[in-house]
Amino acid sequence: MHVQLPHNITDLSLTFFAKGRPYEVQKSHAHFGTIRTTLLDWNNAERGIVDIDALIKLADPTVELRAASGERLTFAGREMRYDGLPLHNLWVDKIIAFKDEGENFDPIFRALEDLQLNPTPAARERLPLFVERSKLGFLPDGRIAAFKGVRDNYNDVHSNTVNYAVGKTVSMPRHECNANPDQTCTTGLHLGAIDYIRNNGYGWGSDRRMLLCAFWPRHVVAVPVDYHGGKMRVEELTVLDEVDRKYVNELLNSSTTLVRGYDTPATTAAPAPVAEAKPEVDVREPYQKAKVGDWIEVEDDQYLSDGEYLVVAVDDASADNQRLSVKTGSSDDDTEWVDDDAVTGILPSAPDWFLAKLGDWIEYDEYGDTRTGEVIEIDESSLNPGDGSRLRVHDGSEETWVDNDDVEQILASPPPVYLRARMDDLITIADNPVLRDGEFKVVEIFDDSDSDKEDGSRLGVEINNEPFPIINRSIRSIKREVEAAVAKGEAAAAASTAVVVAGASAPVVANLWEQVLKGDKVRVAGDPDIQDGEYIVDLTDSGLTHGPDGVGIMVSGLYIYNKNLKEILERDGKPFVLPGVMAPAVAEKQPWDLAEVGDTVRVEGSRWVQDGDYVVDRVQSAEQKAGRGPDFGGSSTEYGVHIAKGGWFIEKRAVKAIVRKKGEVEVPADGFVPVDTSKKLHEQASTGDFARVTDGSYSSAGEYEIVAVNEDSRAMTFKLKAPFKTNKSDLWVYDRNVTHIRKANAVTAPAAEEVPLYKQVAVGDRIKVEGSHDTPDGEYEVTRTDDYRSGYRVSVDNQGKNGRVWWVGHGTVKAIVRKGPATVSTEPAWKLAKVGDTVEVKGAPTHRDGSYVVDRVDEGNGGGKRLKLVNPGGTRWVNNEYVVSIVSTAGYAPVRDPAAFAKAKIGDTVTVKGSSWVKDGDWRVIMIDEGDNERLRVRTDEDERWVRNEHVFALKEVVQGLTWRDAEVGDSIRVEGHSTVADGDYEVIATDKGDVHVPLKLMIGSERRWVRSENLKAVTKKAA
């Protein structure tokens, strides 16, 4: 029976409707012409369901692929997924190749199914890299083919103990195979791509054999990061056949999709070795041996520049002594025939200028000097070695195209981090002798004889709008690289060096002892004077330069031989990194190590408390974790955290999990959670949920079911179910009276134990105070705490003013800057101060007594003047003896966000630095002038002023909703954290916004009270 097929055809597209859905095909579609002809001729012949199915397959290839995979293959936009997991591009390309070549899909889907059984995530992720480099395809049963090089007796090259006879299946326990892809030459059964075997001689010498093998994806253990994915370790493989090296390229060309002839594993035994067999010597010239796809070396050709070229055609009947044609450009016509006598050799693989990829680091020649650069752009059309530039690189200072024949090699790992930084990069520094640890902007790059050395200075960072040289060894990371690595899910790869995990097998590097520093945690073995183990380095001296038998490292009061230093485990409490080695995975931290103050942890099996959930109020410092700080609870090795309840130190082993991070809200026992003032009420609840309300004009306090929701209302969103105390009918209530929401299906849990910030403070801590009546905003040392003092638990040292104790309100404690007392040092203040610190000067003939910010530091201490200080009229050096103390290490923001002034909006808070008219601080934007170099007008604690764009350092806070500054009489405002007023919403009855400390008067019950700004939160505008 003829089946009708509704359709519409235009010059640019066509649409037909089949099996309940439309199919649209654009003119660019590969089968547009075939489908169009079929539709035009549809009614001229008997058509049925089979014809419709064929048409659907032409229009939508995914239909056939989904069916062939048993619906395990799905499509999300342009992404192809198998069992819901996105497929690597290689799998996609292979599936398409099977389709284009008309092959049955069973082999590749069997391989994908088998891959799901592989227990190693890194192996599953990296297998496509090897398959892509190997260029071999799949066996009909789903196994994948690969090459292996062996000795003439069929034994392995490395140990000459494992036999790989044709037909033999060789295996070893998976746990004995090294699954770490960052370790390249280690245990496992090795397979390789053809170029890897050629370049390393494993199957290419006169005493070597080349084997064709097969493996199941589940048996892959690791694809090492080196060799561009050309090598792999498996736990089991089967030898299929021996391959004559002369026919390797032919095998590759015919087997990229399906490898035929090996449906089941071979069972033939190894041939008996022939002792007197001699390899056949190929005496032909290079131009006679070269085949299509080879790369050849050309010298002294009449038309071509010297270099490496890709062979694209062969003419064995040439009468012009030009057998080979090579590629010279991107188009089909860009070819040239080569003089036979100009072909000097055949390359074992493609040249590095052709193999390099984006992100690779290469060495290249520039006017006789060797330089390094990162590949940032590739011109795929450039295939001429002499007249082309395929790679564009950034050498840290500038970008440049590199001539193909100037590319010397692809580096196995990137250069040190200080050589990778570029202009305007943000870099992180640590352990710099004159700067505090932090993030700084690169504003200058120096190029002198020492700039590429570890103790040299290649980079200048912005300090007070001027370049300041940074010692290379103090540079830790580049923000650009870290962000790029995080975006790829490979944060460890952004580090400049290998992360060595304590207890793990560390890479062995030459002269490890030359990299050790005082304070490092190291592993020592084989020394005659101390036991093998882990130690903290007490001292290093000139003995480090005396080679492996030198004695330059002191641990536990004893010198050890340099050669007995086996591993640097940690530096500054963090895993140490080895220059030039890619990072292996970092060991997973334990819960006690991940916990932060305010987190809730699960404790089980402690000697001191019952099993349960507890809030953490103290954790180990980085120094304590590194074994260098004071003991934590009497034993930093035993105790990991301190809890608020009962004040107990808890054993590391007893901290089982982090139940909840600080600030996370858990549904309390009754199911009601506070209203989120940043969202509209109708976004938080719907009909059938419950609301808790306070007494109001139309409501009495209680909990009621929501029976209606008005999304358009600005004042009354919820209608609640009666009975009310004052009314027996359902009523609309004011939004300001709705305090909590409970979802109808809420799953309740015990209420979280919370520790307010002011309760976490201990004597000796350094805290940040803002908004106090008596104490100016700033950082202070805590001198006393009193848990029974209402509203004022903490007192601080305000530099002894009036000889009294200065108590600060709960809400004015904004941050704990440092836990515990400051480290006591016997060094003088002038020697400890760094750029950005504030120091106190007394008795100097060049400076008035007072506090000054350090502008520059001279480590050479020229003329007894180490510090250059910022004066009102400029900068001036000060004699060391007049610097009596370091007042503050807060410093200034070293990195200015140049776009901060442009991003700010009215209501936002910006950080202002260095203005002549506006004092340094964080101020709220109240007005904007788009056409001026003073775009922002800010309100300080004294007045309102315009501020120049260059003095806006950062966008400190983006306003989220209305604040107390927007409140007017009649509005409702949220009060939180007040010592005598319960949290809730209250009506504004008066304002005095000139007083930034106590700006609003509220109606609190029957009482009218002024309330401090630190307790005022979100505003709800009165109904129009």
Side-chain angles (χ1 to χ4, degrees), residues 88 151 297 409 455 466 523 538 593 688 797 865 909 925:
H88 186 282
R151 295 172 181 261
E297 291 179 324
Q409 66 169 326
D455 289 325
E466 294 183 11
R523 181 170 63 85
D538 301 325
D593 197 13
D797 174 17
K865 298 178 180 180
T909 301
V925 178

Side-chain angles (χ1 to χ4, degrees), residues 830 845-847 856-868 876-883:
W830 63 264
T846 54
H847 296 70
R856 285 287 187 275
V857 173
D858 179 7
E859 278 302 288
N861 193 23
K865 298 178 180 180
R866 181 176 180 267
L867 306 180
K868 193 176 187 180
R876 180 177 294 179
W877 294 95
V878 63
N879 284 64
N880 297 336
E881 61 267 26
Y882 300 120
V883 180

Side-chain angles (χ1 to χ4, degrees), residues 100 169 250 264 267 526 568 716 743 770 914 929 944 952 968:
D100 291 344
T169 295
E250 287 82 348
T264 57
T267 57
I568 302 176
M716 292 181 168
K743 303 296 290 182
E770 291 180 358
D929 181 359
E944 300 175 359
V952 179
E968 304 294 341

Side-chain angles (χ1 to χ4, degrees), residues 177-199:
C177 301
N178 192 324
N180 186 349
D182 295 292
Q183 295 186 7
T184 55
C185 297
T186 183
T187 54
L189 305 179
H190 292 221
L191 294 167
I194 188 64
D195 52 356
Y196 170 79
I197 294 175
R198 279 173 174 160
N199 295 344

Side-chain angles (χ1 to χ4, degrees), residues 465 892-898 900 911-914 950-955:
N465 297 320
Y892 54 87
V895 179
R896 172 179 173 267
D897 180 358
T911 300
V912 177
K913 296 285 184 181
E950 61 265 29
H951 296 139
V952 179
F953 261 64
L955 186 57

Side-chain angles (χ1 to χ4, degrees), residues 46-116:
E46 189 74 18
R47 305 285 187 176
I49 297 299
V50 175
D51 300 290
I52 292 179
D53 289 341
L55 207 60
I56 290 174
K57 285 184 179 181
L58 286 175
D60 185 1
T62 67
V63 172
E64 181 181 2
L65 295 176
R66 284 197 300 266
S69 68
E71 299 301 328
R72 299 179 74 174
L73 198 68
T74 57
F75 298 84
R78 296 185 177 182
E79 187 176 66
M80 190 182 294
R81 299 181 178 183
Y82 189 80
D83 283 348
L85 299 175
L87 288 181
H88 186 282
N89 288 341
L90 171 120
W91 295 112
V92 176
D93 293 343
K94 290 291 185 183
I95 290 172
I96 293 173
F98 269 79
K99 183 180 185 306
D100 291 344
E101 295 176 21
E103 299 285 2
N104 186 292
F105 291 104
D106 287 347
I108 192 165
F109 287 138
R110 286 171 183 162
L112 280 171
E113 184 175 1
D114 190 73
L115 181 64
Q116 311 308 310

Side-chain angles (χ1 to χ4, degrees), residues 655-791:
V655 182
K656 300 301 183 183
I658 298 176
V659 177
R660 186 169 50 260
K661 297 297 290 182
K662 177 182 177 181
E664 290 182 358
V665 177
E666 184 176 9
V667 179
D670 60 6
F672 281 93
V673 297
V675 167
D676 185 346
T677 56
S678 67
K679 298 180 180 178
K680 296 180 180 180
L681 281 179
H682 73 263
E683 297 174 345
Q684 303 177 58
S686 55
T687 302
D689 295 338
F690 295 83
R692 178 182 292 164
V693 299
T694 59
D695 286 329
S697 304
Y698 296 98
S699 65
S700 51
E703 297 161 359
Y704 305 90
E705 183 181 354
I706 301 171
V707 296
V709 177
N710 182 0
E711 297 183 5
D712 298 323
S713 174
R714 299 182 60 186
M716 292 181 168
T717 303
F718 294 151
K719 188 176 186 179
L720 304 183
K721 187 174 183 178
F724 285 84
K725 295 176 183 177
T726 57
N727 200 307
K728 295 183 179 180
S729 302
D730 297 346
L731 290 176
W732 293 95
V733 298
Y734 278 115
D735 292 352
R736 66 172 178 262
N737 295 118
V738 180
T739 62
H740 293 74
I741 298 291
R742 177 167 70 85
K743 303 296 290 182
N745 59 348
V747 178
T748 61
E753 181 185 5
E754 297 182 359
V755 182
L757 185 62
Y758 68 87
K759 283 190 177 182
Q760 301 175 30
V761 174
V763 173
D765 291 352
R766 186 173 182 84
I767 64 173
K768 184 177 183 180
V769 175
E770 291 180 358
S772 172
H773 272 304
D774 305 314
T775 305
D777 292 355
E779 296 180 6
Y780 299 93
E781 306 291 328
V782 176
T783 57
R784 287 180 60 188
T785 61
D786 185 349
D787 289 326
Y788 300 98
R789 188 180 177 93
S790 178

Side-chain angles (χ1 to χ4, degrees), residues 57 78 83 146 204 290-291 297 330 374 487 554 644 803 907 963 1011:
K57 285 184 179 181
R78 296 185 177 182
D83 283 348
W204 224 250
K291 299 183 292 292
E297 291 179 324
S330 59
E374 181 183 6
M554 177 183 285
T963 70
V1011 178

